[in-house]
Amino acid sequence: MGHSKKQHKGSAGERFSSAGFILAAIGSAVGLGNMWKFPYITGQNGGAAFFLIFLAFLAIIGLPVLLAELTIGRGGRGDAAASFRNLSNRPFWHSIGLLLVLGSFFILTFYSVVAGWTIHYAVQSLGGELYRSADYGAVFERFTGGAMPVVWLVVVLAGTCWIVMRGVSGGIEKFNNVVIPGLFILLLLLMGYALTLPGAGAGIRFFLKPEFSELTVQSVLMALGQAFFSLSVGSGAMMTYGSYTDQRQSLGGAAIAIGSGNALYALMAGLIIFPTTFSFGIEPASGPGLVFIALPAAFSSMPFGSLFGGLFFVLLAIAALTSAVSLLEVPVAYAMNRWGRTRGKTAVAVTAACFAVALPCALSAGGVWSGVKAGGRTIFEWVDFITSNIMLPAGGLIITVFAGYVWDQAGKEAGLTAVWYRLWIVTLRYIAPVLILLIFLYSTGII
Ligand code: PFF
């Protein structure tokens, strides 16, 4: 290939095993997006019809862009900025790639705040304290208004940093190898219990029986945005993980495994949440508070509710941590290459920087700074909005344009057969960019 490859310096030669890579990538994809965002967005957008559209977008747009991101990572063998430069030989692309590095850094800041909430709720539910008051809205407000979210934020960031410090195979791979199968077993158990609750059938119907008349243009675009967020594409996480894969790994096969793993977890999460809420007569469309406010009300009145609820929040916390690890790895890999320090020192420095931004996020989500608003949004809401609605779609667009138009060896690196290659390249060149632009215009309020 006619480009010079500058390998990762700080992480030279670090590699995932084949199965370890798939598990780590599923770990990145499965997270708060599947279990916290997805259920309430589905609830607000008519249930099953939304779920089907989400699945269709995952397959038609999400997978091709995911494959492109993995391919750029493995072909470029660098961090999310260096890979672009290595493949194009143009420093301009390095600066463009920086946008992805910044994207994952900033997603991590608000994501780790919500991850902290899930640990708090797990502890409180298992200990039973969560169920002392019947007003869960007030409980949530009191919690987010106090100091505990900051304590849990520190725990989440320290844990994430510790795993990333231990390296690609010794930290990230090992952690995912243990917790991803564990997560699956936990999901199965909870799903089995939720499906046998009295009245669960109404929840299953809501989630799986499509009512297309309830779909709006808005919900279609939301489904596309959610497919991207949920697959972790557009932020360099998959690119960075891709740079640690072996040349023999089939990237097309990997993309399909990651996509189906992610869809399966979303399906199972829905089959826990909707039967539970319907069984206790709770509105499924209750918004971001669904998981922290509506579900505890259901847990409080079911047999073994504090155990069931506690395990549910443990599940959420683990899923969030595996995603947080992938988010932190992106700026850490970049900073290692840029400043040439050890992985350990770099991880600590990046985590500290992340905490500096996450702290105002934590304090503005219900805490002392929740009154500080600009344009109607708190700091927390701004960081979520800018990263999820602007940086991720921009990252997705950069990836499709680069693999579709700039890097002419993408097809070779992806290793697709002729027919699949045609479909892939047509999607990358014409379909994905148009749809990404549409989500972008919609989610920023331009259309
Ligand atoms: N896919 C994760 C989720 O659904 O929770 C969120 C995420 C992780 C987005 C990593 C982007 C990323 F790079």
Side-chain angles (χ1 to χ4, degrees):
M1 270 172 236
H3 49 76
S4 64
K5 280 190 180 176
K6 200 162 161 225
Q7 298 265 338
H8 289 279
K9 256 191 243 153
S11 54
E14 285 191 279
R15 289 284 182 273
F16 279 128
S17 75
S18 173
F21 161 66
I22 305 275
L23 286 181
I26 290 181
S28 172
V30 173
L32 295 170
N34 300 56
M35 322 227 172
W36 167 63
K37 237 178 184 179
F38 172 72
Y40 79 77
I41 306 188
T42 307
Q44 287 168 334
N45 289 280
F50 180 84
F51 183 54
L52 284 181
I53 303 271
F54 165 74
L55 286 182
F57 279 144
L58 269 186
I60 302 169
I61 312 287
L63 287 187
V65 182
L66 171 64
L67 177 59
E69 188 167 340
L70 294 171
T71 307
I72 296 171
R74 189 175 70 185
R77 287 269 184 238
D79 57 71
S83 290
F84 285 109
R85 188 205 42 223
N86 291 347
L87 294 173
S88 65
N89 263 333
R90 271 177 280 169
F92 161 75
W93 277 100
H94 187 266
S95 320
I96 295 274
L98 258 182
L99 192 79
L100 275 68
V101 178
L102 287 176
S104 37
F105 177 85
F106 282 106
I107 292 177
L108 181 59
T109 63
F110 80 89
Y111 201 84
S112 49
V113 172
V114 183
W117 296 351
T118 63
I119 305 185
H120 177 83
Y121 270 70
V123 173
Q124 294 275 310
S125 178
L126 288 172
E129 290 88 357
L130 184 58
Y131 308 105
R132 292 233 180 94
S133 147
D135 184 352
Y136 293 97
V139 170
F140 184 64
E141 249 171 52
R142 220 176 311 124
F143 161 62
T144 50
M148 282 317 279
V150 177
V151 175
W152 291 116
L153 168 66
V154 172
V155 171
V156 167
L157 285 178
T160 308
C161 178
W162 185 73
I163 295 160
V164 167
M165 274 171 80
R166 303 178 72 85
V168 172
S169 65
I172 302 175
E173 173 163 346
K174 252 193 193 150
F175 177 63
N176 279 289
N177 277 353
V178 175
V179 302
I180 294 298
L183 204 63
F184 185 73
I185 295 171
L186 212 51
L187 264 172
L188 267 184
L189 283 176
L190 295 180
M191 191 177 77
Y193 186 73
L195 290 178
T196 55
L197 289 169
I204 302 173
R205 271 193 298 282
F206 174 78
F207 184 46
L208 297 180
K209 198 167 147 265
E211 208 60 75
F212 285 99
S213 58
E214 282 170 32
L215 273 186
T216 58
V217 177
Q218 197 182 17
S219 41
V220 172
L221 288 174
M222 272 177 103
L224 183 56
Q226 176 61 12
F228 268 57
F229 185 84
S230 163
L231 271 183
S232 304
V233 294
S235 64
M238 290 300 183
M239 195 177 293
T240 308
Y241 276 6
S243 75
Y244 303 134
T245 57
D246 193 90
Q247 211 56 41
R248 280 166 307 188
Q249 178 103 35
S250 149
L251 292 183
I256 288 175
I258 299 163
S260 13
N262 186 45
L264 181 68
Y265 276 89
L267 174 72
M268 290 168 81
L271 286 177
I272 295 172
I273 288 168
F274 294 113
T276 306
T277 49
F278 272 83
S279 173
F280 291 91
I282 293 166
E283 258 301 293
S286 55
L290 173 65
V291 160
F292 294 101
I293 298 169
L295 281 182
F299 298 148
S300 72
S301 40
M302 63 168 71
F304 307 107
S306 67
L307 178 66
F308 178 83
L311 290 178
F312 176 80
F313 286 112
V314 167
L315 183 90
L316 225 62
I318 297 176
L321 272 181
T322 54
S323 302
V325 163
S326 73
L327 286 165
L328 181 61
E329 179 61 18
V330 178
V332 166
Y334 169 77
M336 269 196 294
N337 285 340
R338 173 84 172 69
W339 288 286
R341 298 284 149 77
T342 60
R343 173 175 275 279
K345 279 192 188 140
T346 310
V348 171
V350 174
T351 306
C354 187
F355 177 71
V357 184
L359 185 63
C361 285
L363 296 178
S364 59
V368 282
W369 287 351
S370 53
V372 182
K373 285 188 184 177
R377 288 196 177 93
T378 62
I379 302 172
F380 179 95
E381 286 162 350
W382 269 115
V383 178
D384 181 5
F385 176 77
I386 292 175
T387 51
S388 310
N389 298 336
I390 298 178
M391 296 179 94
L392 277 189
L397 198 59
I398 290 167
I399 289 162
T400 51
V401 168
F402 190 82
Y405 293 98
V406 179
W407 177 34
D408 55 3
Q409 302 291 323
K412 210 157 146 205
E413 181 70 43
L416 299 175
T417 58
V419 176
W420 283 111
Y421 173 71
R422 289 241 136 267
L423 283 173
W424 185 54
I425 211 77
V426 165
T427 309
L428 289 184
R429 283 194 182 156
Y430 310 108
I431 304 172
V434 172
L435 285 170
I436 294 171
L437 271 176
L438 274 179
I439 336 178
F440 176 78
L441 293 177
Y442 162 70
S443 59
T444 49
I446 298 174
I447 51 171

